[in-house]
Amino acid sequence: LTDIGTPALRCYPNPASDHVFIDGPDIESLHLFNLQGQRIKSNQPHGDRFKLDLDDVPAGWYLIQVRLQKGQTESLQLLIH
């Protein structure tokens, strides 16, 4: 079988406390949302690896929306403790 979906993205460490790394090919933008759908942070890292600082983000569950340069979008779950 051939994987024709979004290239693999990694989010680590997860759970996280003060920062998280996002790895993936050609990352164009990152948006951190709480579970109420409110955007908490936005970044435009342009690259394959990005460190997202979480010092000012309260503990809880979040979604990271990652947009790649090829127009693909993927969401990752993140637990901050």
Side-chain angles (χ1 to χ4, degrees):
L1 296 175
T2 302
D3 182 9
I4 58 173
T6 303
L9 293 173
R10 288 184 42 199
C11 174
Y12 60 94
N14 192 2
S17 55
D18 57 350
H19 68 272
V20 67
F21 290 99
I22 311 295
D23 288 354
D26 302 320
I27 296 172
E28 185 175 282
S29 65
L30 297 170
H31 304 287
L32 180 68
F33 293 92
N34 63 20
L35 294 185
Q36 288 75 40
Q38 299 168 314
R39 189 180 322 183
I40 306 300
K41 288 184 173 259
S42 291
N43 290 284
Q44 295 182 339
H46 295 287
D48 294 339
R49 185 174 194 203
F50 182 70
K51 179 181 177 182
L52 182 62
D53 291 318
L54 304 170
D55 291 331
D56 56 343
V57 180
W61 282 98
Y62 293 86
L63 294 176
I64 301 173
Q65 183 183 65
V66 181
R67 183 171 178 88
L68 305 176
Q69 290 178 356
K70 295 180 181 178
Q72 297 168 304
T73 303
E74 186 162 325
S75 295
L76 305 169
Q77 293 182 359
L78 173 64
L79 175 60
I80 300 174
H81 58 93

mmCIF file of all heavy atoms in Angstrom, residues 45-69:
data_model
loop_
_atom_site.group_PDB
_atom_site.id
_atom_site.type_symbol
_atom_site.label_atom_id
_atom_site.label_comp_id
_atom_site.label_asym_id
_atom_site.label_seq_id
_atom_site.Cartn_x
_atom_site.Cartn_y
_atom_site.Cartn_z
ATOM 1 N N PRO A 45 6.837 29.286 11.117
ATOM 2 C CA PRO A 45 8.236 28.881 11.251
ATOM 3 C C PRO A 45 8.995 28.659 9.951
ATOM 4 O O PRO A 45 10.198 28.832 9.918
ATOM 5 C CB PRO A 45 8.149 27.578 12.035
ATOM 6 C CG PRO A 45 6.794 27.052 11.734
ATOM 7 C CD PRO A 45 5.921 28.238 11.523
ATOM 8 N N HIS A 46 8.350 28.253 8.868
ATOM 9 C CA HIS A 46 8.996 27.967 7.577
ATOM 10 C C HIS A 46 10.228 27.086 7.746
ATOM 11 O O HIS A 46 11.351 27.556 7.763
ATOM 12 C CB HIS A 46 9.374 29.260 6.848
ATOM 13 C CG HIS A 46 8.195 30.069 6.444
ATOM 14 N ND1 HIS A 46 7.360 29.703 5.418
ATOM 15 C CD2 HIS A 46 7.688 31.209 6.953
ATOM 16 C CE1 HIS A 46 6.402 30.598 5.303
ATOM 17 N NE2 HIS A 46 6.570 31.515 6.220
ATOM 18 N N GLY A 47 10.005 25.805 7.856
ATOM 19 C CA GLY A 47 11.105 24.861 7.979
ATOM 20 C C GLY A 47 10.591 23.483 8.322
ATOM 21 O O GLY A 47 9.403 23.195 8.195
ATOM 22 N N ASP A 48 11.499 22.638 8.783
ATOM 23 C CA ASP A 48 11.153 21.257 9.102
ATOM 24 C C ASP A 48 11.050 20.984 10.598
ATOM 25 O O ASP A 48 10.644 19.906 11.001
ATOM 26 C CB ASP A 48 12.187 20.311 8.500
ATOM 27 C CG ASP A 48 12.157 20.333 6.983
ATOM 28 O OD1 ASP A 48 11.132 20.736 6.416
ATOM 29 O OD2 ASP A 48 13.166 19.956 6.372
ATOM 30 N N ARG A 49 11.458 21.952 11.424
ATOM 31 C CA ARG A 49 11.407 21.759 12.872
ATOM 32 C C ARG A 49 11.132 23.098 13.539
ATOM 33 O O ARG A 49 11.693 24.115 13.146
ATOM 34 C CB ARG A 49 12.714 21.189 13.381
ATOM 35 C CG ARG A 49 12.672 20.860 14.854
ATOM 36 C CD ARG A 49 13.929 20.158 15.290
ATOM 37 N NE ARG A 49 13.727 19.576 16.607
ATOM 38 C CZ ARG A 49 14.707 19.298 17.415
ATOM 39 N NH1 ARG A 49 15.954 19.498 17.052
ATOM 40 N NH2 ARG A 49 14.460 18.782 18.596
ATOM 41 N N PHE A 50 10.277 23.061 14.566
ATOM 42 C CA PHE A 50 9.936 24.295 15.258
ATOM 43 C C PHE A 50 9.747 24.017 16.740
ATOM 44 O O PHE A 50 9.164 23.008 17.123
ATOM 45 C CB PHE A 50 8.643 24.883 14.682
ATOM 46 C CG PHE A 50 8.251 26.185 15.316
ATOM 47 C CD1 PHE A 50 8.981 27.331 15.085
ATOM 48 C CD2 PHE A 50 7.157 26.251 16.150
ATOM 49 C CE1 PHE A 50 8.622 28.535 15.673
ATOM 50 C CE2 PHE A 50 6.783 27.447 16.741
ATOM 51 C CZ PHE A 50 7.527 28.591 16.496
ATOM 52 N N LYS A 51 10.238 24.925 17.574
ATOM 53 C CA LYS A 51 10.043 24.838 19.024
ATOM 54 C C LYS A 51 8.957 25.842 19.401
ATOM 55 O O LYS A 51 9.089 27.043 19.155
ATOM 56 C CB LYS A 51 11.336 25.163 19.765
ATOM 57 C CG LYS A 51 11.188 25.110 21.268
ATOM 58 C CD LYS A 51 12.500 25.464 21.945
ATOM 59 C CE LYS A 51 12.333 25.475 23.452
ATOM 60 N NZ LYS A 51 13.594 25.871 24.118
ATOM 61 N N LEU A 52 7.875 25.352 19.999
ATOM 62 C CA LEU A 52 6.767 26.184 20.425
ATOM 63 C C LEU A 52 6.843 26.348 21.934
ATOM 64 O O LEU A 52 6.753 25.365 22.679
ATOM 65 C CB LEU A 52 5.441 25.525 20.022
ATOM 66 C CG LEU A 52 4.157 26.266 20.351
ATOM 67 C CD1 LEU A 52 4.098 27.607 19.620
ATOM 68 C CD2 LEU A 52 2.957 25.410 19.975
ATOM 69 N N ASP A 53 7.055 27.583 22.399
ATOM 70 C CA ASP A 53 7.126 27.856 23.833
ATOM 71 C C ASP A 53 5.726 27.855 24.430
ATOM 72 O O ASP A 53 4.802 28.456 23.887
ATOM 73 C CB ASP A 53 7.821 29.194 24.090
ATOM 74 C CG ASP A 53 9.295 29.144 23.753
ATOM 75 O OD1 ASP A 53 9.947 28.137 24.094
ATOM 76 O OD2 ASP A 53 9.796 30.101 23.145
ATOM 77 N N LEU A 54 5.587 27.194 25.574
ATOM 78 C CA LEU A 54 4.284 27.030 26.224
ATOM 79 C C LEU A 54 4.252 27.621 27.626
ATOM 80 O O LEU A 54 3.330 27.354 28.385
ATOM 81 C CB LEU A 54 3.926 25.538 26.287
ATOM 82 C CG LEU A 54 3.908 24.790 24.966
ATOM 83 C CD1 LEU A 54 3.776 23.289 25.202
ATOM 84 C CD2 LEU A 54 2.783 25.308 24.090
ATOM 85 N N ASP A 55 5.251 28.418 27.990
ATOM 86 C CA ASP A 55 5.346 28.963 29.340
ATOM 87 C C ASP A 55 4.093 29.713 29.766
ATOM 88 O O ASP A 55 3.711 29.675 30.935
ATOM 89 C CB ASP A 55 6.551 29.898 29.468
ATOM 90 C CG ASP A 55 7.871 29.159 29.390
ATOM 91 O OD1 ASP A 55 7.914 27.974 29.776
ATOM 92 O OD2 ASP A 55 8.857 29.761 28.946
ATOM 93 N N ASP A 56 3.438 30.404 28.839
ATOM 94 C CA ASP A 56 2.293 31.234 29.176
ATOM 95 C C ASP A 56 0.949 30.562 28.862
ATOM 96 O O ASP A 56 -0.095 31.215 28.872
ATOM 97 C CB ASP A 56 2.379 32.572 28.442
ATOM 98 C CG ASP A 56 2.484 32.403 26.928
ATOM 99 O OD1 ASP A 56 2.806 31.295 26.465
ATOM 100 O OD2 ASP A 56 2.249 33.392 26.217
ATOM 101 N N VAL A 57 0.972 29.245 28.604
ATOM 102 C CA VAL A 57 -0.247 28.518 28.248
ATOM 103 C C VAL A 57 -0.671 27.651 29.438
ATOM 104 O O VAL A 57 0.120 26.852 29.940
ATOM 105 C CB VAL A 57 -0.017 27.633 26.992
ATOM 106 C CG1 VAL A 57 -1.278 26.884 26.631
ATOM 107 C CG2 VAL A 57 0.461 28.488 25.827
ATOM 108 N N PRO A 58 -1.921 27.791 29.898
ATOM 109 C CA PRO A 58 -2.390 26.989 31.035
ATOM 110 C C PRO A 58 -2.436 25.488 30.715
ATOM 111 O O PRO A 58 -2.541 25.096 29.556
ATOM 112 C CB PRO A 58 -3.805 27.512 31.300
ATOM 113 C CG PRO A 58 -3.958 28.759 30.511
ATOM 114 C CD PRO A 58 -2.932 28.728 29.428
ATOM 115 N N ALA A 59 -2.389 24.687 31.754
ATOM 116 C CA ALA A 59 -2.488 23.231 31.596
ATOM 117 C C ALA A 59 -3.830 22.864 30.966
ATOM 118 O O ALA A 59 -4.831 23.544 31.155
ATOM 119 C CB ALA A 59 -2.339 22.556 32.957
ATOM 120 N N GLY A 60 -3.815 21.785 30.172
ATOM 121 C CA GLY A 60 -5.039 21.300 29.554
ATOM 122 C C GLY A 60 -4.769 20.664 28.203
ATOM 123 O O GLY A 60 -3.621 20.504 27.789
ATOM 124 N N TRP A 61 -5.855 20.298 27.512
ATOM 125 C CA TRP A 61 -5.767 19.693 26.176
ATOM 126 C C TRP A 61 -5.857 20.781 25.114
ATOM 127 O O TRP A 61 -6.666 21.710 25.230
ATOM 128 C CB TRP A 61 -6.911 18.712 25.961
ATOM 129 C CG TRP A 61 -6.687 17.401 26.641
ATOM 130 C CD1 TRP A 61 -7.195 17.007 27.844
ATOM 131 C CD2 TRP A 61 -5.890 16.326 26.172
ATOM 132 N NE1 TRP A 61 -6.767 15.744 28.149
ATOM 133 C CE2 TRP A 61 -5.951 15.295 27.129
ATOM 134 C CE3 TRP A 61 -5.113 16.120 25.033
ATOM 135 C CZ2 TRP A 61 -5.285 14.093 26.995
ATOM 136 C CZ3 TRP A 61 -4.449 14.910 24.891
ATOM 137 C CH2 TRP A 61 -4.535 13.921 25.861
ATOM 138 N N TYR A 62 -5.050 20.637 24.047
ATOM 139 C CA TYR A 62 -5.005 21.607 22.956
ATOM 140 C C TYR A 62 -4.897 20.878 21.620
ATOM 141 O O TYR A 62 -4.523 19.697 21.575
ATOM 142 C CB TYR A 62 -3.799 22.546 23.116
ATOM 143 C CG TYR A 62 -3.924 23.433 24.324
ATOM 144 C CD1 TYR A 62 -3.514 22.997 25.573
ATOM 145 C CD2 TYR A 62 -4.477 24.695 24.214
ATOM 146 C CE1 TYR A 62 -3.644 23.798 26.691
ATOM 147 C CE2 TYR A 62 -4.616 25.515 25.326
ATOM 148 C CZ TYR A 62 -4.198 25.057 26.561
ATOM 149 O OH TYR A 62 -4.337 25.850 27.659
ATOM 150 N N LEU A 63 -5.198 21.583 20.560
ATOM 151 C CA LEU A 63 -4.979 21.103 19.203
ATOM 152 C C LEU A 63 -3.968 22.016 18.530
ATOM 153 O O LEU A 63 -4.065 23.239 18.635
ATOM 154 C CB LEU A 63 -6.281 21.104 18.398
ATOM 155 C CG LEU A 63 -7.354 20.139 18.857
ATOM 156 C CD1 LEU A 63 -8.618 20.338 18.024
ATOM 157 C CD2 LEU A 63 -6.875 18.700 18.738
ATOM 158 N N ILE A 64 -3.012 21.410 17.835
ATOM 159 C CA ILE A 64 -2.059 22.171 17.042
ATOM 160 C C ILE A 64 -2.421 21.944 15.584
ATOM 161 O O ILE A 64 -2.410 20.808 15.108
ATOM 162 C CB ILE A 64 -0.610 21.715 17.288
ATOM 163 C CG1 ILE A 64 -0.249 21.870 18.755
ATOM 164 C CG2 ILE A 64 0.350 22.495 16.392
ATOM 165 C CD1 ILE A 64 1.109 21.289 19.113
ATOM 166 N N GLN A 65 -2.765 23.003 14.890
ATOM 167 C CA GLN A 65 -3.067 22.912 13.462
ATOM 168 C C GLN A 65 -1.792 23.278 12.703
ATOM 169 O O GLN A 65 -1.248 24.368 12.887
ATOM 170 C CB GLN A 65 -4.194 23.865 13.083
ATOM 171 C CG GLN A 65 -4.598 23.744 11.625
ATOM 172 C CD GLN A 65 -5.663 24.756 11.277
ATOM 173 O OE1 GLN A 65 -5.424 25.946 11.318
ATOM 174 N NE2 GLN A 65 -6.843 24.262 10.953
ATOM 175 N N VAL A 66 -1.319 22.353 11.885
ATOM 176 C CA VAL A 66 -0.078 22.534 11.130
ATOM 177 C C VAL A 66 -0.419 22.627 9.651
ATOM 178 O O VAL A 66 -1.081 21.743 9.103
ATOM 179 C CB VAL A 66 0.898 21.352 11.362
ATOM 180 C CG1 VAL A 66 2.188 21.567 10.599
ATOM 181 C CG2 VAL A 66 1.167 21.171 12.851
ATOM 182 N N ARG A 67 0.015 23.699 9.026
ATOM 183 C CA ARG A 67 -0.175 23.860 7.585
ATOM 184 C C ARG A 67 1.180 23.721 6.905
ATOM 185 O O ARG A 67 2.148 24.362 7.302
ATOM 186 C CB ARG A 67 -0.792 25.213 7.259
ATOM 187 C CG ARG A 67 -1.073 25.384 5.780
ATOM 188 C CD ARG A 67 -1.895 26.647 5.531
ATOM 189 N NE ARG A 67 -2.137 26.837 4.136
ATOM 190 C CZ ARG A 67 -3.153 26.325 3.458
ATOM 191 N NH1 ARG A 67 -4.025 25.571 4.072
ATOM 192 N NH2 ARG A 67 -3.307 26.554 2.172
ATOM 193 N N LEU A 68 1.226 22.856 5.899
ATOM 194 C CA LEU A 68 2.455 22.617 5.149
ATOM 195 C C LEU A 68 2.467 23.476 3.891
ATOM 196 O O LEU A 68 1.425 23.931 3.417
ATOM 197 C CB LEU A 68 2.571 21.137 4.793
ATOM 198 C CG LEU A 68 2.479 20.178 5.986
ATOM 199 C CD1 LEU A 68 2.510 18.743 5.510
ATOM 200 C CD2 LEU A 68 3.575 20.441 6.988
ATOM 201 N N GLN A 69 3.647 23.698 3.325
ATOM 202 C CA GLN A 69 3.783 24.562 2.155
ATOM 203 C C GLN A 69 3.019 24.044 0.951
ATOM 204 O O GLN A 69 2.677 24.804 0.068
ATOM 205 C CB GLN A 69 5.259 24.769 1.822
ATOM 206 C CG GLN A 69 5.969 25.630 2.840
ATOM 207 C CD GLN A 69 7.434 25.807 2.550
ATOM 208 O OE1 GLN A 69 7.982 25.236 1.616
ATOM 209 N NE2 GLN A 69 8.097 26.609 3.370
#
